[in-house]
Amino acid sequence: MPTLATKKLADTIGVEVLDVDVERLLTDETVPGALLDLLEQHSVLLFRQLHIDDDAQVKFCRRLGELALFPKYRIPEIMEISFEPDNPNREYFASNDYWHIDGALDEIPAKASVLSARVTAAEGGETEFASTYAAYDALTDEEKERFATLRVVHTFEAIQRLTYPDPTPEQIQEWASRAVRELPLVWEHDSGRRSLVFGATASHIVGLDVDEGRKLLADLESRATADDLVYRHEWSEGDMVIWDNTGLVHRACPFDRGKPRRMHRSTLLGTEAIS
């Protein structure tokens, strides 16, 4: 397997891929395997000012795995993330500002996300990433032993209440219709690696006082997302970023939602339940 040239983005997470263009992503038979290996090692891959179009993005992503479909959008394999009034998921995008794992409420979470910048914010709108593998590795031996048996309840309401602290009855009813997941705090992956499972969907820890459990979850998130452990990507139009959704948390940084910002996301379906 050829080695792709890369440049480190942060101490604990991320590399920029330097020697590929769109044509190579679509035609080089060695690239998909090499990129998946890099993703496992580094969690975030940046392709700076790649300027890949929607059709090419879909074609490329299919080389990496099976894609989720978003039938409300013009191209079902691409979710358009914006605050335009006609965006069918506009109401929920504000919650992207909180640390989260994509698809934490799904039976099998997404393996990876691919995000391309079409219109960038004049100020703000960066995306931050932090490794949940590194978060587990940084635990003390005592914490690893204690956390091995803890289980956490994740709900859609937990993340939405951060954006809508005074919800309408209709919102509460809609949130309650979503799946509730009880997940281990420590995810032991098929690879043998371990990561922590936390983020804004985490409601409470089973068997602990609610406030005590939330304090523990907040502490773990704070430690895992300390400034020196985070890669913050400042978007330029045409950038594409791939992240390993099974090994990190991410969030969008604030920006003026009354001004244009549009990102095109494709999602690789997962193959491994959190267990």
Side-chain angles (χ1 to χ4, degrees):
M1 180 80 65
T3 301
L4 297 175
T6 61
K7 177 183 177 182
K8 198 172 185 179
L9 293 172
D11 287 342
T12 60
I13 193 169
V15 292
E16 179 181 352
V17 182
L18 300 173
D19 58 349
V20 297
D21 56 13
V22 174
E23 179 67 19
R24 189 175 180 195
L25 290 180
L26 298 181
T27 60
D28 190 328
E29 293 301 319
T30 68
V31 162
L35 291 179
L36 290 173
D37 285 346
L38 285 175
L39 199 61
E40 174 69 18
Q41 294 173 46
H42 301 288
S43 297
V44 177
L45 308 181
L46 166 63
F47 302 79
R48 204 179 296 277
Q49 296 186 336
L50 184 68
H51 294 288
I52 194 168
D53 65 28
D54 288 342
D55 290 340
Q57 179 168 318
V58 172
K59 183 178 179 182
F60 162 64
C61 290
R62 283 177 175 158
R63 302 188 78 203
L64 300 178
E66 187 177 354
L67 295 181
L69 298 179
F70 308 105
K72 295 179 181 179
Y73 291 90
R74 181 178 59 87
I75 299 175
E77 296 88 352
I78 292 180
M79 176 183 283
E80 298 183 15
I81 301 176
S82 75
F83 286 91
E84 296 296 324
D86 61 347
N87 193 311
N89 286 306
R90 181 180 186 273
E91 176 184 355
Y92 306 119
F93 289 147
S95 295
N96 289 340
D97 290 2
Y98 302 97
W99 292 108
H100 64 283
I101 299 171
D102 287 339
L105 299 176
D106 296 337
E107 187 173 342
I108 298 178
K111 173 177 176 53
S113 293
V114 180
L115 194 64
S116 293
R118 296 292 189 265
V119 180
T120 58
E123 185 176 355
E126 304 90 348
T127 303
E128 293 185 327
F129 304 92
S131 172
T132 52
Y133 288 125
Y136 177 82
D137 292 341
L139 297 176
T140 66
D141 290 342
E142 182 181 356
E143 287 175 323
K144 289 176 180 177
E145 182 177 358
R146 178 190 173 201
F147 296 163
T149 58
L150 293 184
R151 299 186 66 81
V152 183
V153 174
H154 291 254
T155 69
F156 191 67
E157 180 175 348
I159 189 170
Q160 290 303 314
R161 275 192 179 273
L162 297 173
T163 303
Y164 305 103
D166 188 23
T168 66
E170 291 77 17
Q171 284 178 309
I172 293 174
Q173 183 178 14
E174 200 278 328
W175 298 345
S177 71
R178 304 294 188 110
V180 174
R181 298 288 177 198
E182 183 182 307
L183 303 173
L185 178 57
V186 177
W187 182 355
E188 185 167 355
H189 298 258
D190 292 345
S191 65
R193 299 176 75 187
R194 291 181 174 88
S195 65
L196 293 181
V197 181
F198 57 85
T201 57
S203 170
H204 59 277
I205 297 177
V206 177
L208 292 187
D209 173 80
V210 171
D211 289 339
E212 179 187 358
R214 288 176 177 171
K215 183 177 179 180
L216 172 58
L217 291 167
D219 177 62
L220 290 175
E221 179 178 299
S222 177
R223 289 159 58 182
T225 59
D227 288 347
D228 61 333
L229 300 178
V230 168
Y231 170 61
R232 171 183 282 200
H233 183 61
E234 298 181 3
W235 292 95
S236 296
E237 186 175 318
D239 287 355
M240 183 176 81
V241 171
I242 307 175
W243 68 88
D244 173 11
N245 185 62
T246 68
L248 56 72
V249 287
H250 66 284
R251 68 176 180 182
C253 296
F255 62 97
D256 185 347
R257 293 177 185 148
K259 296 181 180 178
R261 178 184 184 269
R262 182 163 52 86
M263 317 294 282
H264 285 198
R265 190 183 83 193
S266 299
T267 299
L268 297 179
L269 293 178
T271 58
E272 182 182 352
I274 299 176
S275 60

